[in-house]
Amino acid sequence: MTVLEQLTSGDAIALENKYGAHNYHPLPVVLTRGKGVHVWDVEGKKYYDFLSAYSAVNQGHCHPEIVNAMTEQAQELTLTSRAFYNDKLGQYEKFACELFGFDKLLPMNTGAEAVETALKITRKWAYEVKGIDENEAEIVVCENNFHGRTTTIISFSNDATARENFGPYTKGFIKIEYDNIEALEDVLKNNSNIAGFLVEPIQGEAGVYVPSDGYLAKAKALCEQYNVLFIADEVQTGIARTGRLLATCGNCSCKNKMCSGTPDVKPDVLILGKALSGGAYPVSAVLANDNIMNVIRPGNHGSTFGGNPIAATVAIAALKVIQEENLAENAHKLGELFREELNKYIENSSVVKLVRGKGLLNAIVINDDEKSNKAWDVCLALRDNGLLAKPTHGNIIRFAPPLVMTEEQLLDCVSIIVSTLKEFE
């Protein structure tokens, strides 16, 4: 077996630049190993990971329970396609449905695929159950959303970089302001062709915007009033990231005490991905009850890899880690501590305006405009000081470490972040 040669950081970056499509702008660090909350570059330098692969690695890098489940299954059976049954998919579907409180699960691979799946289910439900005339269904979305980059999804994005020169765009979407319940009520009241409302419980890519208290519960109530499906994209906010099993958590079966007393905002359609596999394998899913999911029949939708034995086995292991290690509770506790400690610095800072977030999904806003390079420069300095994070929207830095982080490690990271920011005062 050929062993890949060990490259320097410069060599690895040069190879990607020459042979890879330039569809990302990575921070200049080349990683080769990860364990828990840490990653190492090819020269052996150790870093705290404060991005977690955009919340895919909530359970920490290379969690042994997840890796063992994956490798053991990979030696037994990897893929059958859905032309045949396999002995793992049904067990996974049952486990996830009981955990999240739904009747059925439709397995896919990536977050964008799951969003596309949810949109198709919603439209089919609109025509066959709600009675909207065919091809007239519309779905309400929020400005500054991020649900992926497929042609349909960018059609309702207002990110110019994602949209420009990729038209023509898919019709059937109405954009409203995020966290504006009056705007949602107005569009539902004045349009009988609305099939669903697609929303991120927290807008992560937009800069970790947390909606006002009660927004999601009021939105769900309006959807019920107007017979519209409430579709929650929890690809990034789900699986314990925000301090609960789901950001919309209200009546799942996780029995996490952080969920008690929270509004009951159960989506009609739930979209999951990323940490559903702990970052070990591409796994995503759409969950809904029978009255919605039963509109999908053989041949309507599918994926060669969706629901394969490795994916099913890995997802069960990843969800069990969340439960058994109380990662939602840890995210809640450490998130409170993180914002409290950073606010002590921000009170007298000229560099940072504010910190916001929920659980261990947080962001700081740099005191500059979106066209500035200051946030990027701060992230380069953080890298030099042993912590990896990435800007979003120019002047915002997102902080989302693995949920297995300890309080001691978190305080060490706060110290790195604060001392780095002081370099820019």
Side-chain angles (χ1 to χ4, degrees):
M1 184 176 71
T2 303
V3 178
L4 294 177
E5 62 179 304
Q6 184 65 53
L7 302 175
T8 66
S9 291
D11 290 339
I13 292 171
L15 275 175
E16 285 201 31
N17 285 338
K18 182 175 181 179
Y19 295 104
H22 296 173
N23 58 324
Y24 278 91
H25 180 44
L27 201 74
V29 59
V30 179
L31 304 177
T32 189
R33 185 165 65 93
K35 184 69 174 175
V37 300
H38 293 108
V39 288
W40 287 260
D41 67 20
V42 293
E43 280 80 29
K45 183 174 179 178
K46 180 180 179 182
Y47 306 86
Y48 283 107
D49 179 1
F50 249 63
L51 191 60
S52 300
Y54 298 105
S55 295
V57 194
N58 288 0
Q59 298 89 336
H61 288 275
C62 300
H63 193 290
E65 295 295 325
I66 301 172
V67 171
N68 288 342
M70 180 172 65
T71 54
E72 288 175 11
Q73 181 59 44
Q75 296 176 75
E76 296 294 328
L77 182 66
T78 59
L79 182 65
T80 61
S81 82
R82 295 296 300 280
F84 312 108
Y85 289 93
N86 70 68
D87 61 344
K88 297 298 185 291
L89 177 56
Q91 296 181 66
Y92 159 51
E93 291 167 331
K94 178 178 186 291
F95 186 91
C97 283
E98 290 179 350
L99 178 62
F100 296 109
F102 289 89
D103 293 337
K104 282 187 170 54
L105 179 150
L106 197 162
M108 296 299 288
N109 310 287
T110 67
E113 283 180 290
V115 172
E116 289 272 0
T117 301
L119 295 176
K120 288 179 67 176
I121 292 169
T122 299
R123 284 174 168 170
K124 202 162 191 290
W125 171 88
Y127 302 133
E128 297 183 4
V129 178
K130 186 172 180 177
I132 294 175
D133 290 341
E134 191 172 356
N135 296 324
E136 296 298 319
E138 296 189 272
I139 294 173
V140 180
V141 297
C142 292
E143 294 173 351
N144 301 317
N145 67 75
F146 183 83
H147 299 285
R149 294 190 181 93
T150 64
T151 300
T152 293
I153 292 170
I154 64 164
S155 296
F156 56 84
S157 168
N158 56 309
D159 181 346
T161 303
R163 280 176 58 90
E164 187 176 0
N165 293 328
F166 289 113
Y169 304 113
T170 307
K171 298 178 181 178
F173 300 96
I174 299 173
K175 276 187 283 190
I176 62 171
E177 185 180 18
Y178 184 69
D179 195 22
N180 185 333
I181 202 68
E182 290 78 15
L184 177 61
E185 184 171 18
D186 183 66
V187 75
L188 295 180
K189 183 168 56 178
N190 293 295
N191 191 330
S192 60
N193 288 332
I194 303 298
F197 173 48
L198 172 64
V199 64
E200 299 162 87
I202 295 173
Q203 287 194 325
E205 192 70 18
V208 190
Y209 283 97
V210 181
S212 54
D213 289 344
Y215 170 69
L216 296 174
K218 291 173 185 175
K220 177 60 171 21
L222 282 173
C223 288
E224 291 178 356
Q225 180 181 342
Y226 290 96
N227 193 26
V228 165
L229 299 186
F230 183 92
I231 312 159
D233 180 350
E234 294 238 30
V235 170
Q236 196 167 151
T237 59
I239 321 296
R241 170 56 59 183
T242 65
R244 296 184 287 176
L245 182 63
L246 300 172
T248 54
C249 216
N251 62 352
C252 67
S253 64
C254 70
K255 298 181 176 61
N256 174 9
K257 67 182 180 182
M258 294 296 103
C259 296
S260 61
T262 60
D264 183 358
V265 188
K266 181 180 179 180
D268 297 300
V269 180
L270 172 66
I271 305 169
L272 296 175
K274 294 190 184 297
L276 188 55
S277 72
Y281 200 83
V283 182
S284 65
V286 177
L287 294 96
N289 285 338
D290 285 336
N291 62 314
I292 298 167
M293 193 67 85
N294 282 344
V295 302
I296 293 295
R297 301 176 185 91
N300 286 162
H301 193 66
S303 164
T304 298
F305 280 84
N308 70 75
I310 296 179
T313 303
V314 164
I316 292 173
L319 291 171
K320 284 183 176 180
V321 167
I322 293 290
Q323 290 179 301
E324 293 167 1
E325 299 188 15
N326 300 312
L327 295 187
E329 293 183 29
N330 195 52
H332 173 81
K333 180 185 71 173
L334 294 188
E336 294 281 316
L337 178 62
F338 181 77
R339 291 183 293 277
E340 178 185 335
E341 291 297 314
L342 271 188
N343 273 321
K344 292 177 184 176
Y345 159 71
I346 292 171
E347 285 178 5
N348 300 303
S349 173
S350 63
V351 174
V352 182
K353 292 181 181 178
L354 58 90
V355 59
R356 62 179 174 233
K358 188 171 281 189
L360 282 176
L361 178 61
N362 296 281
I364 58 171
V365 180
I366 299 298
N367 189 18
D368 216 327
D369 60 49
E370 289 192 11
K371 295 181 180 179
S372 166
N373 289 322
K374 186 179 287 186
W376 177 263
D377 292 338
V378 169
C379 287
L380 290 177
L382 285 169
R383 175 205 60 183
D384 294 341
N385 294 331
L387 186 146
L388 299 180
K390 191 91 188 294
T392 181
H393 285 264
N395 66 328
I396 299 170
I397 300 175
R398 178 168 34 188
F399 290 129
L403 309 185
V404 293
M405 181 163 278
T406 66
E407 184 173 322
E408 181 182 5
Q409 289 170 332
L410 183 89
L411 291 174
D412 189 25
C413 291
V414 169
S415 177
I416 293 171
I417 292 168
V418 169
S419 63
T420 302
L421 290 167
K422 284 181 178 178
E423 297 174 17
F424 292 83
E425 295 284 358

